Amino acid sequence: MPKALQITLLVPGILLFVLLFGMFPVVLQTDHFEGALSFNWSGGFSTIAEYMKGMWSGQSFQYLSGKTEHSFWDQIGSSFSVTFFYITVGGLIGATLGVLLGVYFGISRIKWLKRILELTAVMPDFVIVLLLQFLIVFIATETGYVIFDVASFSTDDPAIALPLISTIIIPANYMIRNVALHMSNTLTEDYINFAKARGLSKRYIIFYHALPNVLPFVKADLHKFMGILFGNLFIFEYLFNLGGVTMFVFSNAFAFDGYQYSLVVNGILTLLLLYAIVYSLLRLVIFGAEKVIIR
């Protein structure tokens, strides 16, 4: 199937998935007296129809925060900026560090470093975030000096360093292990042994022979890297009290008059837009590494 046709079918397919995914809180109903679960499919499809109809009138872009009605377009800008900043900076630095440290771990014989990496890999992500916050509090208690803010106390004084560190180290951990594994396998290939026999330097072999053959694996796993980054987005924003997109959607999904389908759909579409932007930037960085640095 031509790529242009795939993209043409992909966009409406994603939109349809978001519309169907957002209606499940309407479809799934529980009996208040017996607690039995029932399916209200007609109610779910009616919600989709109302959303499509409201797109022309603008009603689909209105939501309630408590009892106060707001415009989605007026409020989403600040949340989008917050999430975009942490995800973009964290993703770019995390991917770059992951590749460079992955190369180092792939050729290093220092086993205790690898053991630490494996240990942190099995820890849940929210535990890593809590440990970082605990470390800052412990240092502040012992020395009286607060290195970083452990959370945002207001929009005028946001915590920056610690959320950024969290968005860097958690996806970078996956990237390091992925690159180190493929680098170790690549260094056992025959053409690498041939390059060594020609007397080429170790650095030249790594960066001009091995790494170009590892980068395709990095590109192939980029969606998994993005999945880790976005999968932890709500944890970052909740634990650090950041006013990002996920906090905006979860805080207002259920308002005074019940579930707000249009807000959830608009929020998910905003996250997909962020995903596309960050993914494109990461692909651009890898493309630059292939064409400018490596070749």
Side-chain angles (χ1 to χ4, degrees), residues 59-72 75 248-264:
Q59 188 59 37
S60 295
F61 302 104
Q62 301 291 324
Y63 73 97
L64 290 175
S65 179
K67 296 182 180 179
T68 307
E69 188 174 64
H70 295 281
S71 168
F72 177 81
Q75 303 297 321
F248 171 70
V249 173
F250 277 95
S251 300
N252 298 290
F254 290 90
F256 177 72
D257 61 346
Y259 177 61
Q260 303 196 86
Y261 173 79
S262 59
L263 173 66
V264 173

Side-chain angles (χ1 to χ4, degrees), residues 69-82:
E69 188 174 64
H70 295 281
S71 168
F72 177 81
W73 298 118
D74 291 340
Q75 303 297 321
I76 193 60
S78 58
S79 299
F80 185 92
S81 300
V82 170

Side-chain angles (χ1 to χ4, degrees), residues 10-31:
L10 180 65
V11 173
I14 291 175
L15 290 175
L16 179 61
F17 173 78
V18 173
L19 291 173
L20 293 175
F21 179 79
M23 77 177 190
F24 275 104
V26 180
V27 172
L28 297 174
Q29 301 287 334
T30 56
D31 189 296

Side-chain angles (χ1 to χ4, degrees), residues 5-272:
L5 181 59
Q6 291 181 21
I7 296 175
T8 304
L9 294 176
L10 180 65
V11 173
I14 291 175
L15 290 175
L16 179 61
F17 173 78
V18 173
L19 291 173
L20 293 175
F21 179 79
M23 77 177 190
F24 275 104
V26 180
V27 172
L28 297 174
Q29 301 287 334
T30 56
D31 189 296
H32 293 294
F33 298 101
E34 298 180 357
L37 189 66
S38 61
F39 296 93
N40 181 19
W41 291 105
S42 60
F45 289 116
S46 297
T47 305
I48 294 178
E50 290 175 6
Y51 176 80
M52 300 300 291
K53 183 180 178 182
M55 289 183 68
W56 306 112
S57 63
Q59 188 59 37
S60 295
F61 302 104
Q62 301 291 324
Y63 73 97
L64 290 175
S65 179
K67 296 182 180 179
T68 307
E69 188 174 64
H70 295 281
S71 168
F72 177 81
W73 298 118
D74 291 340
Q75 303 297 321
I76 193 60
S78 58
S79 299
F80 185 92
S81 300
V82 170
T83 303
F84 178 78
F85 170 74
Y86 289 104
I87 286 292
T88 303
V89 176
L92 290 174
I93 296 177
T96 305
L97 280 178
V99 171
L100 295 177
L101 290 176
V103 171
Y104 175 76
F105 276 87
I107 61 176
S108 175
R109 295 182 179 178
I110 305 176
K111 293 184 178 179
W112 64 270
L113 275 177
K114 296 180 181 179
R115 296 290 180 270
I116 292 176
L117 188 67
E118 291 169 359
L119 176 63
T120 56
V122 300
M123 296 173 65
D125 300 334
F126 73 91
V127 172
I128 295 177
V129 174
L130 292 175
L131 286 177
L132 286 173
Q133 291 178 318
F134 175 78
L135 178 63
I136 298 301
V137 173
F138 177 77
I139 293 174
T141 304
E142 294 296 319
T143 66
Y145 182 70
V146 180
I147 302 175
F148 304 126
D149 290 334
V150 295
S152 296
F153 297 101
S154 69
T155 55
D156 297 329
D157 185 24
I160 295 177
L162 206 57
L164 265 184
I165 292 172
S166 300
T167 56
I168 290 170
I169 63 173
I170 292 174
N173 194 335
Y174 168 77
M175 185 68 79
I176 291 170
R177 287 182 285 117
N178 185 37
V179 172
L181 174 64
H182 291 297
M183 179 60 70
S184 299
N185 294 335
T186 303
L187 291 176
T188 61
E189 297 289 340
D190 291 339
Y191 68 90
I192 297 294
N193 293 327
F194 179 71
K196 291 178 182 177
R198 290 176 57 195
L200 298 177
S201 68
K202 185 177 180 180
R203 178 176 298 179
Y204 188 90
I205 292 172
I206 290 170
F207 286 99
Y208 289 89
H209 288 276
L211 188 56
N213 292 295
V214 172
L215 288 180
F217 294 103
V218 174
K219 283 192 292 186
D221 276 348
L222 207 52
H223 283 298
K224 190 175 290 184
F225 175 85
M226 294 287 295
I228 295 172
L229 193 62
F230 274 76
N232 289 292
L233 191 55
F234 178 69
I235 295 175
F236 297 141
E237 294 186 352
Y238 182 78
L239 293 180
F240 292 116
N241 195 28
L242 304 174
V245 175
T246 61
M247 281 287 285
F248 171 70
V249 173
F250 277 95
S251 300
N252 298 290
F254 290 90
F256 177 72
D257 61 346
Y259 177 61
Q260 303 196 86
Y261 173 79
S262 59
L263 173 66
V264 173
V265 169
N266 295 333
I268 294 174
L269 292 176
T270 304
L271 288 173
L272 289 175

